[in-house]
Amino acid sequence: MNNPWRNALALLGGLFLSLTALAAEPPAAVRIAIVAFTQGGAPVFGGIPGRVIEEGWLEQQLAARGVKLQWTALPHAGAGPQINEGFSNDSLDFAVRGDLPSVIAGAGQVPGKLVVPGGSGNNIYLVVPSDSTVRSIQDLKGKRLALHRGRPWEFAFSNFLQSQGLALSDFKIANLNPQVGAAAVSAGKVDAAVLLNEAYALEDKGVARILWSTKQGANDWRLVSDLWGTDRFVQQHADLTQLVATAWVRAAWWISQEQNRDAYYGWSSRAGVSESVLRRDDQDDPVVWKARWAPKSDAQLKAHYDALGQYALANRLIRTPYDITSDLATGFTRQALIDLQLTHYWPSLDAQISQQP
């Protein structure tokens, strides 16, 4: 006798198996978005992405599985919204994104998982015109200050201000990205600007001088960027996500070796920043070279993003609180360290690796 319930269950079971097989089928490409300069009409990548490309290991591993590696170059201005859109509409799989934009994205329900934490981060700089009479941050109170709001360097600079008994409200803020801010301070249109390592280029031109940098502050004040993946990709393609994470950790390990430092500066300088500027950006840094490239532990990430979330909420950059805990997918980083036999290479990660199953 024909049982309609049994037939229905059989159909549902077949549909489930079909959907599972479809979900496990590898994509045509792994799409990674990075902020990059364009030279001669083509994007040039520095840092860890530059090493990943230079080594070619990830591309080879993906090709062996019939998957292409596709890089998307993003402009420095407006990269955050483009990444958020790409994560929301599944036109991107991975992206390197700054910490404060990640908090804003997470609070806005943009799906994403933090796969590989960044290292100690990049320095930021407060510069003034070369002929300025300003000698301390207190001298700038009430004056015009160029600062790109909602970007990673805002949190670092605000921490510095707080340590000096000041707040952003003590200044006339011009919401300008670093490139425009550099031009504004050079032309005397603002009294100071918060910049990245282009501060040294302005010093070389004799149009500005560095008043302060995060080299003089707490290590947690730096600009931090992490590798994020979309929820969909991380869940459906854990094997490919692991390859990307392993490639990232391989690159960080390679760069962190002192004998590879010159090579790192060589290819990174092709990405729009002179080698002289790159070297001075690292000069006199209180964090030693090897440790600078160590991925942050979960405890460090939690503390950092909790502080960021509180700052963003207090300054109305987000409307609802954000907790990064459910967005941490750092097990891929841990597995990469194990697979690469680097479990004791960065001592700051020893406890986390030994505690997790």
Side-chain angles (χ1 to χ4, degrees), residues 45 71 104 128 167 173 216 233 242 300 334:
F45 301 93
W71 297 91
I104 295 171
V128 295
I173 302 295
Q216 302 162 257
F233 194 95
Q242 186 60 64
Q300 289 173 313
R334 176 180 179 271

Side-chain angles (χ1 to χ4, degrees), residues 1 58 89 92 98 113-114 133 261 268 300 305 327 345:
M1 183 175 177
L58 178 58
N89 64 21
L92 292 175
K113 292 286 184 285
L114 197 161
T133 59
R261 196 165 176 172
S268 290
Q300 289 173 313
Y305 275 90
D327 289 339
Y345 182 73

Side-chain angles (χ1 to χ4, degrees), residues 337-357:
L337 291 166
I338 294 172
D339 293 344
L340 295 170
Q341 299 182 351
L342 297 174
T343 51
H344 300 296
Y345 182 73
W346 285 299
S348 60
L349 293 169
D350 280 358
Q352 179 166 319
I353 292 172
S354 62
Q355 287 173 4
Q356 293 187 10

Side-chain angles (χ1 to χ4, degrees), residues 7-249:
N7 291 341
L9 288 172
L11 287 172
L12 287 172
L15 178 60
F16 175 78
L17 289 173
S18 297
L19 289 173
T20 303
L22 181 63
E25 186 175 330
V30 171
R31 303 160 299 178
I32 307 176
I34 309 287
V35 172
F37 289 90
T38 300
Q39 197 170 62
V44 184
F45 301 93
I48 287 179
R51 173 57 188 171
V52 171
I53 294 170
E54 188 94 358
E55 182 187 30
W57 181 86
L58 178 58
E59 186 173 18
Q60 293 167 9
Q61 292 295 316
L62 291 174
R65 294 161 174 78
V67 180
K68 294 181 179 180
L69 178 57
Q70 179 180 317
W71 297 91
T72 298
L74 301 175
H76 282 256
Q82 290 188 49
I83 292 172
N84 293 346
E85 182 179 353
F87 272 32
S88 297
N89 64 21
D90 283 332
S91 62
L92 292 175
D93 302 313
F94 296 93
V96 173
R97 186 170 61 189
D99 48 11
L100 185 53
S102 294
V103 167
I104 295 171
Q109 303 302 309
V110 175
K113 292 286 184 285
L114 197 161
V115 177
V116 181
S120 66
N122 300 105
N123 288 302
I124 68 163
Y125 300 85
L126 177 65
V127 304
V128 295
S130 55
D131 59 354
S132 173
T133 59
V134 168
R135 290 293 177 265
S136 74
I137 187 65
Q138 299 291 341
D139 295 338
L140 283 171
K141 191 173 181 180
K143 297 186 180 296
R144 299 164 298 172
L145 174 68
L147 171 69
H148 201 183
R149 299 297 312 273
R151 302 303 299 276
W153 44 86
E154 177 180 337
F155 181 61
F157 183 62
S158 293
N159 278 324
F160 168 57
L161 292 182
Q162 186 177 18
S163 74
Q164 301 298 307
L166 298 170
L168 290 179
S169 57
D170 290 315
F171 306 88
K172 298 174 182 176
I173 302 295
N175 189 9
L176 304 174
N177 69 48
Q179 290 71 39
V180 178
V185 77
S186 301
K189 300 295 184 182
V190 294
D191 299 294
V194 177
L195 307 177
L196 305 181
N197 57 18
E198 60 262 86
Y200 289 106
L202 296 186
E203 277 200 335
D204 289 345
K205 295 175 183 176
V207 296
R209 59 181 170 84
I210 296 172
L211 187 67
W212 172 87
S213 82
T214 43
K215 294 178 186 180
Q216 302 162 257
N219 291 341
D220 195 44
W221 292 1
R222 297 163 181 262
L223 184 163
V224 176
S225 297
D226 307 299
L227 178 67
W228 289 74
T230 67
D231 284 2
R232 176 196 57 79
F233 194 95
V234 171
Q235 291 167 5
Q236 294 183 4
H237 305 292
D239 56 336
L240 300 183
T241 300
Q242 186 60 64
L243 286 178
V244 174
T246 301
W248 234 253
V249 174

Side-chain angles (χ1 to χ4, degrees), residues 296-319:
K296 281 182 167 56
S297 68
D298 284 0
Q300 289 173 313
L301 286 171
K302 190 73 167 58
H304 183 72
Y305 275 90
D306 280 353
L308 268 171
Q310 293 170 17
Y311 172 83
L313 191 64
N315 287 270
R316 300 181 180 179
L317 296 173
I318 58 176
R319 295 182 179 179

